[in-house]
Structures are given as C-alpha cells and as structure tokens.
C-alpha cells in the first residue's frame, strides 16, 4: 500500500485549531499508528494518550472523523474519507492539550454513582460461590467489560446539555454492582443514581450503545436502574 493520507489533528486547547500532516499509508494501520507517526516523525510536541494498544486500557479514545472511537483498534481503512482523516480530542471533556482530555469529571461521576465495590464480607469469611447462571450475575456480567474509555460519555447528548448527569459509563457500572450479590452498598447507590443527574435524566436514545467499542449496552443498564429505583421508592426504601 503506497501513498499518503492527509491527517488533520487538533492542536492546542479549546481555542486551538486543526493542523494537517501528510502521513505515509501502511498495511493494517490504525488511527493510533497515524497519531504516533506524527509525534515521532513530524512534531514531537504532539500530546495524546495510549497505553496497551490492544483495546484493554481505555486510554486512547479520540474523535475520528466526527465520531468517538478507540483509536488503537480502529483501522484507518474503515474510517478514512476521500483520503482524509480528522482526529480531535473526545467531546464533553475539557481539552488539556491537543488530543489529551481532562478525565477528572468522568471519573468523579463514577465515584458519585457509587461505582466502587462495598464488601459485605470480611477476609475471614469463606469465599462465596456465585453461580454464573443466576439472573443477577448475568445482568452484572452483561456490563462488566467496560474499559472506562469515555467513548459513550463523549457520544451522549445528555452529558453535553446537563453538567450534573452522571453519564452512561458510571450508571452502567452502578448497575453491575446493584446486581452483584456480594455488594452491600445498594441503599446508598440507589439513592445516588435516583438523584438529580442520575438514571432518570437519560433519554434512552442509545448513542452510548451505538458507539461503545466493547459492544456494551449502557442504555439497558440505565433502564434497569430506572426500574430498580422506582421499586425501591414504592417500597419506601428511598
Ligand atoms: S441512552 Fe442515555 S446515557 Fe445513552 S447516550 Fe442516550 S441519554 Fe446518554
Ligand atoms: S461503556 Fe463502553 S464506551 Fe462507555 S466507557 Fe465503558 S467501554 Fe467505553
Ligand atoms: S491503547 Fe489501550 S485501549 Fe487503546
């Protein structure tokens, strides 16, 4: 494969602009390969994040031709349009520099949604057997493979309009814990996700599910939280 691609990359902070580079085209080249080529061969001051390069760490997400994606698993052959590629930082997060966003709000919302496991047992208790065939475990397993990439957060219109909205990833995480029978934090967690900016702010338009690179369905998790918080409310638990 020969030739070059015209790659426009965001430079600077929110008031920055796109800068175009001619990048040699290679076989099986990913968007992350393109960004790395620019940093190594054209401009060493280009800032971006990555770690694993194999779709596990969630750190490499960027906006590619207008759509949020994991760049290490996105081949340019799937996304180049008319020999051009536009690569920007994720939307809905402040830009630190170039392609690197400030992820603080994203992770603080995980904390706000009580996305940390609350143990119900101590280390001296016997290890509990959890059958993978039970309905709660299957509901938890359906959302467990999240890699915290923030692609869904960047794709969500409600996040864009509503600063308080916890967002699809944090709520998906909360749903996995609501269904984890070993967890003891559900009263606080259900209160947190039922509050302003919680699950009831979601409009169910499924942009998160459409963009998630791990094929998760945060919309379904959020629908589960809506049902569960309503049940808790009717029972007087909230
Ligand atoms: S379904 Fe809900 S969380 Fe998903 S993108 Fe739409 S508003 Fe956001
Ligand atoms: S739910 Fe999917 S898109 Fe959202 S952070 Fe997790 S892996 Fe990324
Ligand atoms: S570099 Fe780890 S998911 Fe892309």
């Amino acid at each position: 494969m020969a030739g070059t691609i015209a790659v426009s990359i965001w430079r600077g902070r929110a008031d920055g602009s796109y800068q175009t580079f001619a990048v040699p085209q290679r076989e099986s080249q990913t968007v992350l390969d393109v960004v790395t080529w620019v940093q190594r061969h054209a401009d060493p001051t280009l800032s971006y994040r990555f770690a694993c390069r194999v779709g596990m760490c969630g750190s490499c997400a960027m906006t590619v031709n207008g759509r949020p994606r994991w760049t290490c698993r996105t081949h340019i052959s799937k996304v180049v349009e008319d020999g051009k590629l536009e690569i920007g930082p994720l939307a809905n997060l402040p830009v630190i520099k170039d392609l690197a966003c400030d992820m603080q709000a994203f992770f603080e919302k995980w904390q706000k949604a009580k996305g940390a496991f609350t143990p119900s047992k101590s280390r001296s208790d016997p290890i509990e057997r959890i059958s993978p065939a039970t309905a709660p475990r299957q509901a938890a397993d359906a959302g467990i493979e999240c890699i915290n990439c923030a692609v869904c957060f960047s794709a969500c219109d409600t996040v864009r309009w509503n600063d308080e909205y916890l967002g699809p990833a944090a709520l998906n995480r909360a749903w996995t814990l609501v269904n984890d029978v070993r967890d003891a934090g559900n009263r606080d967690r259900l209160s947190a996700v039922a509050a302003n900016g919680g699950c009831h702010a979601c409009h169910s338009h499924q942009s998160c599910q459409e963009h998630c690179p791990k094929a998760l369905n945060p919309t379904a998790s959020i629908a589960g939280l809506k049902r569960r918080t309503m049940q808790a409310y009717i029972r007087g638990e909230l």
Side-chain angles (χ1 to χ4, degrees), residues 106 145-153 169 172 212-214 216 218:
F106 176 74
E145 296 290 340
C146 174
I147 56 171
N148 312 350
C149 66
V151 162
C152 56
F153 192 84
N172 176 72
C212 174
K214 299 289 290 183
L216 304 185

Side-chain angles (χ1 to χ4, degrees), residues 36-100:
T36 302
W37 188 93
V38 171
Q39 198 210 45
R40 300 225 173 127
H41 300 278
D43 187 348
T45 69
L46 176 66
S47 301
Y48 65 108
R49 281 202 194 94
F50 74 96
C52 71
R53 301 182 75 117
V54 290
M56 288 176 70
C57 72
S59 65
C60 68
M62 301 169 200
T63 306
V64 181
N65 281 354
R67 188 184 160 114
R69 292 180 178 277
W70 53 359
T71 57
C72 70
R73 298 290 300 271
T74 303
H75 281 193
I76 58 158
S77 56
K78 290 211 179 112
V79 289
V80 161
E81 288 166 11
D82 302 326
K84 292 185 187 150
L85 208 52
E86 187 183 88
I87 308 172
L90 283 180
N92 296 345
L93 289 161
V95 185
I96 297 173
K97 179 175 173 288
D98 304 336
L99 302 171

Side-chain angles (χ1 to χ4, degrees), residues 108-138:
E108 280 179 356
K109 287 178 174 183
W110 276 60
Q111 289 175 310
K112 217 170 163 188
K114 308 288 178 201
F117 180 72
T118 308
S120 55
K121 301 270 191 323
S122 76
R123 64 179 61 203
S124 47
D125 290 314
I127 294 173
E128 202 173 348
R129 279 178 76 89
I130 309 292
S131 167
T134 57
R137 193 59 236 167
Q138 286 181 352

Side-chain angles (χ1 to χ4, degrees), residues 152 155-158 165 167-168 202-209 219 222:
C152 56
C156 175
D157 283 346
T158 307
Y165 183 44
C202 166
H203 296 310
S204 308
H205 55 33
Q206 296 207 292
S207 193
C208 49
Q209 178 262 334
T219 319
I222 296 166

